[in-house]
């Protein structure tokens, strides 16, 4: 079956949006299956920049079906804003489908995100503040509102009559000054239902049917493996399952329908928000990478922490998701340095560590061990044009060595190599097109 899952292999912002946009050209359907508008996926087409938070990046390719699956949490106001903005920029959004099972981010979720972060003080996660964690908590506690509920004002009102006073009690217990207006919330969310009604449906059936008809379906992961609620650096993680297995559950199909998984590996590492980051650079090299790579968050505008490529992280991501190919991004950013370091393993109490330990106290004591590789010169525009035209053989020799080193260490071939922000700045190393 012709399905392909795209997974972030680090802490998010690996360049998934650009990779999905590139591959969407060959796909019929593009599906988001987890996360919410904590995601920020940038796609640069010519000089025009699109930042997508809710809508799958495939929307930018005319005629593709864009699906927001049941595993996603949706802030309807943000989604409507995104649809309006896309429409005003000439992008057709009538091909969007939204799962009736997807959970709705309510105003009290956003407020609780902020209130809980404030209470955690020094232990705060550094969330995006979009209400993601509280919304997923309510889903699991069976206190959620789903997209389908917005279509039935009576049902919505009954749910909110129970939920809003309950949440008010939480704020009151926290000593938080927030006051919820039950009637205003009912009116606001019923209006979202009217506005989004045409898109809301049983998306699992759509994706399954497409796959049965041998249509090519691309699953667009959000966040990254080390932000996964189970496998990441808990509690400094997001609130969804970010690994490939969830592409099935989060879009309502059988895991047997997933064929290929590409891990998106940024050629170095970044992280936004709090939490451990063994290869983080606190020196001028870190700031040079940040500056060259434009490492500022697509969603919150926060500066991303930067560091060397960490193969413990990417190997762990591969073991959790089973990559059949690697999409390496932003290797162009590493041009112009004499030497580059790559972390191959950690040492802890004299022992070699090759997987991320669950205990963050242990992770904090892990000492990253590096292999130093030779760098390559900056690539000017003329050379880049030649590389993009003639392909891999034209790459600087030490860049090829860097790629080969990573391939060998992870044990997976690099199938796509990102060389710049724009849509065409990518080398396609796949053997033939997506079948
Ligand atoms: P995502 O969340 O994984 O989709 O990644 P983001 O869009 O948040 O961040 C990746 C940033 O890197 C965006 O600004 C992209 O435009 C940019 N980008 C993606 N691939 C490349 C690449 O190969 N080279 C360069 N220089 N920039 C890239
Ligand atoms: P994309 O899809 C990078 C981080 C936040 C914070 C933690 C929890 O663009 O790669 P949350 O708001 O999810 O409860 O925040 O997760 N985070 C991301 N970091 N890229 C993302 O998405 C992220 N989504 C969440 O910074 O550390
Ligand atoms: Mg991002």
């Amino acid at each position: 079956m012709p399905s392909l899952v795209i997974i972030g292999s680090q802490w998010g912002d690996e360049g998934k949006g650009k990779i999905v946009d590139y591959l969407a050209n060959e796909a019929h359907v593009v599906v988001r299956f987890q996360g919410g508008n904590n995601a920020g996926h940038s796609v640069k087409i010519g000089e025009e920049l699109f930042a997508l938070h809710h809508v799958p990046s495939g929307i930018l390719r005319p005629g593709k079906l864009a699906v927001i699956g049941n595993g996603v949490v949706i802030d309807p106001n943000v989604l409507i804003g995104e649809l309006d903005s896309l429409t005003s920029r000439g992008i057709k959004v009538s091909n969007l489908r939204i799962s009736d099972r997807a959970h709705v981010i309510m105003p009290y979720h956003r407020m609780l995100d902020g209130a809980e972060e404030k209470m955690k003080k020094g232990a705060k996660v550094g969330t995006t503040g979009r209400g993601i964690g509280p919304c997923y908590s309510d889903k699991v506690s069976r206190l959620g509102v789903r997209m389908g509920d917005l279509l039935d004002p009576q049902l919505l009102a009954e749910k909110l009559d129970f939920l809003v006073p309950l949440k008010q009690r939480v704020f009151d217990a926290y000593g938080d000054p927030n006051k919820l207006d039950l009637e205003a919330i009912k009116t606001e969310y019923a209006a979202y239902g009217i506005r989004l009604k045409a898109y809301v449906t049983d998306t699992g059936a759509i994706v399954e049917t497409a796959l049965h008809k041998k249509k090519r379906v691309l699953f667009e992961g959000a966040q990254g493996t080390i932000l996964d609620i189970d496998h990441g650096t808990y509690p400094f993680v997001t609130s969804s399952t970010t690994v490939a297995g969830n592409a099935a559950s989060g879009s309502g199909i059988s895991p047997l329908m997933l064929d290929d998984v590409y891990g998106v590996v940024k050629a170095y590492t970044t992280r936004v928000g709090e939490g451990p980051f063994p290869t983080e650079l606190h020196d001028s090299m870190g700031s040079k990478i940040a500056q060259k790579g434009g490492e500022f968050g697509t969603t919150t505008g926060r500066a991303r922490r930067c560091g060397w490529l960490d193969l413990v992280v990417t190997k762990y991501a591969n073991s959790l998701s089973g990559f059949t190919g690697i999409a390496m991004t932003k290797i162009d950013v590493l041009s112009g340095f004499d030497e580059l370091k790559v972390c191959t393993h950690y040492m802890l109490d004299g022992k070699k560590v090759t997987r991320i330990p669950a205990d963050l106290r242990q992770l904090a004591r892990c000492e990253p061990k590096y292999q130093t590789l030779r760098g390559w010169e900056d690539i000017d525009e003329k050379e880049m044009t030649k590389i993009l035209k003639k392909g891999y053989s034209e790459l600087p020799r030490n860049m090829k060595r860097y790629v080969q080193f990573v391939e060998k260490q992870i044990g997976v071939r690099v199938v796509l190599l990102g060389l710049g922000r724009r849509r065409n700045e990518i080398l396609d190393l796949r053997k033939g097109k997506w079948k």
Side-chain angles (χ1 to χ4, degrees):
M1 292 234 215
S3 66
L4 169 58
V5 186
I6 304 300
I7 292 294
S9 71
Q10 293 148 318
W11 276 281
D13 301 327
E14 296 89 352
K16 298 175 292 294
K18 180 185 159 163
I19 296 299
V20 168
D21 170 69
Y22 178 78
L23 292 167
N25 193 31
E26 297 165 28
H28 298 100
V29 186
V30 182
V31 189
R32 275 279 309 268
F33 56 90
Q34 46 72 229
N37 56 319
N38 48 350
H41 296 178
S42 321
V43 179
K44 196 164 186 193
I45 305 172
E47 288 313 307
E48 216 180 336
L49 186 67
F50 292 88
L52 298 155
H53 301 288
H54 263 321
V55 181
S57 303
I59 202 89
L60 302 175
R61 299 273 187 185
K64 313 293 173 180
L65 201 61
V67 173
I68 301 181
N70 56 275
V72 175
V73 290
I74 301 174
D75 188 326
N77 189 37
V78 175
L79 174 59
I80 291 166
E82 203 166 307
L83 294 177
D84 288 346
S85 159
L86 286 166
T87 306
S88 73
R89 296 174 75 180
I91 307 292
K92 273 184 100 172
V93 297
S94 53
N95 272 351
L96 178 70
R97 301 290 180 272
I98 304 167
S99 169
D100 47 9
R101 289 178 165 87
H103 278 249
V104 180
I105 299 173
M106 304 298 293
Y108 47 79
H109 291 141
R110 287 191 302 269
M111 293 169 184
L112 274 171
D113 197 349
E116 287 172 353
E117 281 282 273
K118 213 158 101 195
M119 284 192 297
K120 286 180 193 161
K121 295 201 175 100
K124 72 177 171 107
V125 177
T127 71
T128 59
R130 302 299 191 258
I132 306 297
C135 183
Y136 275 115
S137 299
D138 272 354
K139 168 176 171 170
V140 175
S141 304
R142 292 153 296 182
L143 293 171
V145 174
R146 304 203 292 183
M147 286 306 292
D149 300 335
L150 300 187
L151 309 186
D152 182 341
Q154 179 76 29
L155 177 71
L156 178 66
E158 277 166 26
K159 282 200 159 193
L160 293 177
D161 281 337
F162 170 69
L163 289 170
V164 173
L166 188 78
K167 295 296 168 185
Q168 186 62 62
R169 282 160 66 179
V170 176
F171 287 115
D172 295 346
Y174 282 176
D176 189 284
N178 274 311
K179 290 283 171 239
L180 301 172
D181 183 338
L182 173 62
E183 291 311 314
I185 297 174
K186 278 185 194 168
T187 311
E188 181 186 344
Y189 279 73
Y192 295 145
I194 293 168
R195 170 68 206 270
L196 294 171
K197 191 174 181 218
Y199 305 106
V200 177
T201 184
D202 177 1
T203 50
I206 294 175
V207 179
E208 189 186 14
T209 306
L211 284 166
H212 278 309
K213 288 186 178 162
K214 307 266 183 264
K215 302 261 187 218
R216 289 184 288 274
V217 180
L218 190 57
F219 295 88
E220 177 175 359
Q223 289 78 54
T225 303
I226 317 298
L227 288 172
D228 181 275
I229 185 74
D230 286 295
H231 307 289
T233 46
Y234 190 91
F236 300 98
V237 293
T238 190
S239 298
S240 65
T241 299
T242 61
V243 297
N246 195 27
S249 177
S251 44
I253 57 155
S254 158
L256 299 178
M257 291 182 125
L258 303 178
D259 300 312
D260 278 299
V261 182
Y262 289 176
V264 186
V265 174
K266 196 185 274 193
Y268 48 95
T269 313
T270 61
R271 171 162 208 173
V272 207
E274 309 302 320
F277 180 177
T279 65
E280 183 168 10
L281 285 160
H282 298 282
D283 57 10
S284 63
M285 181 59 84
S287 20
K288 268 188 215 158
I289 293 177
Q291 202 195 352
K292 280 189 90 171
E295 295 297 351
F296 294 92
T298 311
T299 300
T300 56
R302 290 179 290 175
R304 295 173 181 156
R305 300 153 65 192
C306 295
W308 297 121
L309 179 62
D310 186 340
L311 292 171
V312 179
V313 160
T314 54
K315 283 182 201 175
Y316 184 53
N318 179 36
S319 83
L320 290 166
S321 287
F323 300 151
T324 55
I326 289 173
M328 189 185 276
T329 59
K330 304 193 88 160
I331 197 163
D332 54 299
V333 175
L334 295 184
S335 305
F337 296 112
D338 292 337
E339 285 185 341
L340 300 164
K341 287 188 180 179
V342 177
C343 169
T344 51
H345 61 280
Y346 309 147
M347 289 301 288
L348 177 65
D349 299 332
K351 289 202 185 95
K352 193 172 172 180
V353 175
T354 54
R355 274 170 77 89
I356 306 280
D359 186 336
L360 294 195
R361 290 166 304 182
Q362 274 183 28
L363 183 58
R365 291 196 301 112
C366 280
E367 200 192 325
K369 292 291 171 191
Y370 295 99
Q371 174 108 7
T372 302
L373 303 181
R374 264 186 264 151
W376 55 89
E377 304 266 302
D378 265 319
I379 303 171
D380 64 27
E381 232 169 274
K382 208 171 129 197
E383 283 165 316
M384 185 59 83
T385 310
K386 196 167 162 196
I387 290 170
L388 293 173
K389 203 167 149 202
K390 297 203 167 168
Y392 188 81
S393 60
E394 296 299 316
L395 291 177
R397 186 171 1 135
N398 289 340
M399 190 195 273
K400 281 191 256 186
R401 286 188 175 146
Y402 192 91
V403 172
Q404 284 156 9
F405 182 76
V406 174
E407 284 182 323
K408 200 162 168 212
Q409 286 279 323
I410 307 180
V412 181
R413 290 288 309 278
V414 170
V415 288
L416 295 170
L417 187 64
L419 291 165
R421 286 193 93 183
R422 291 189 195 86
R423 196 179 238 180
N424 68 324
E425 289 171 332
I426 190 164
L427 278 189
D428 194 335
L429 309 171
R430 291 173 299 165
K431 302 219 162 47
K433 292 254 176 189
W434 182 8
K435 282 181 260 322

